[in-house]
Amino acid sequence: MTEKTPAAGSIRARVRAEMIDEIKNVARRHVANEGAALSLRAVSRDMGMVSSALYRYFPSRDELLTALIIDAYDSMGEAAETADANVSNRSDVLARWHAVANALRAWSLAQPHEYALIYGSPVPGYAAPRDTVGPATRPVVVLGAILADAYEAGMLTEAGSPPVRNPLRREIAVLSVHIGAKIPPSIMARGMIAWTELFGAISFELFGRIDNTIDERDDWFHYQTRAMATFIGLR
């Protein structure tokens, strides 16, 4: 029996995919060394290509930046989803919260330049397209699932929460629907406040804001995530 020869189209597609991966890897090294001031000419020079050849894969700097941003969001989202899925007791929402929070911190400390690309200073002249929205919400969807499960278990109530008035209430209700969390707006608001605090804690650590202040970083992060969980109402 003779083996089938791969179709020319599939070979071209594989070669193109490998080239795109190589371009993105070189671009990530530039981002690590120089920040988001990415230059297609510099990337093509490092790859031994003429810049016109690079444009066949990424017609502009913004398209290459978008690809890097989507990859970073997807990688972070996968870390959050895996951490949540690895908690076998699905009713232990507090353990799930801590697992996700710790996974996000670990991912960020391991990829500081990619974290800075998506949560650092905005890139001058760059406007993120809608293609980035789905990947960016992956960790938020994980949080929404934790909140929804806690609410279904009767753990979370609106009691004691400041009232959320329209039009803000409508916006938060839309967000709850968007991430698939069937919870009241006041509970979703508490979750979003905690989510903001979580990324604030990661950013402060990553960008040196607690240098010469807090040395026990693991204990401090765990203390913060416990306080956030208490604020949400997880137990």
Side-chain angles (χ1 to χ4, degrees):
M1 181 181 294
T2 58
E3 294 184 1
K4 290 185 178 180
T5 303
S10 65
I11 294 174
R12 284 196 298 270
R14 186 173 68 248
V15 171
R16 180 176 178 82
E18 290 172 354
M19 181 61 73
I20 287 173
D21 284 343
E22 186 178 351
I23 292 169
K24 290 193 291 188
N25 286 334
V26 172
R28 288 189 189 97
R29 291 200 294 272
H30 276 266
V31 169
N33 294 327
E34 302 149 18
L38 196 60
S39 164
L40 289 185
R41 289 184 181 276
V43 172
S44 62
R45 184 172 61 247
D46 281 4
M47 296 187 65
M49 301 169 60
V50 294
S51 55
S52 58
L54 189 62
Y55 291 142
R56 291 202 296 268
Y57 300 94
F58 294 100
S60 68
R61 178 211 68 163
D62 284 5
E63 290 199 24
L64 179 52
L65 268 177
T66 296
L68 298 182
I69 288 169
I70 288 174
D71 283 355
Y73 275 134
D74 277 333
S75 179
M76 173 183 273
E78 183 178 356
E81 292 160 0
T82 300
D84 182 42
N86 284 341
V87 179
S88 57
N89 182 0
R90 306 308 293 162
S91 65
D92 192 347
V93 290
L94 185 58
R96 291 167 61 189
W97 159 257
H98 284 301
V100 171
N102 287 324
L104 290 172
R105 175 181 178 242
W107 183 92
S108 303
L109 294 178
Q111 283 88 212
H113 303 294
E114 291 185 56
Y115 179 89
L117 186 62
I118 55 180
Y119 285 106
S121 300
V123 180
Y126 174 78
R130 290 196 61 82
D131 292 353
T132 62
V133 174
T137 59
R138 286 177 66 174
V140 187
V141 171
V142 176
L143 170 66
I146 294 172
L147 294 180
D149 288 350
Y151 178 69
E152 286 296 320
M155 187 181 301
L156 303 181
T157 69
E158 294 190 88
S161 296
V164 183
R165 298 184 175 87
N166 284 326
L168 176 61
R169 186 178 182 86
R170 287 195 297 271
E171 289 183 337
I172 295 177
V174 169
L175 174 62
S176 297
V177 172
H178 180 67
I179 66 171
K182 297 180 180 179
I183 53 178
S186 62
I187 295 174
M188 185 72 239
R190 293 206 305 266
M192 289 306 298
I193 291 170
W195 200 244
T196 303
E197 293 290 332
L198 175 61
F199 278 93
I202 293 171
S203 293
F204 261 51
E205 180 177 4
L206 203 60
F207 299 145
R209 296 299 183 180
I210 56 175
D211 288 356
N212 304 315
T213 303
I214 300 291
D215 293 326
E216 300 297 330
R217 301 294 176 83
D218 292 346
D219 285 349
W220 175 232
F221 186 77
H222 188 55
Y223 184 89
Q224 291 177 95
T225 55
R226 289 203 313 271
M228 295 172 210
T230 301
F231 172 75
I232 297 172
L234 302 177
R235 61 182 187 273

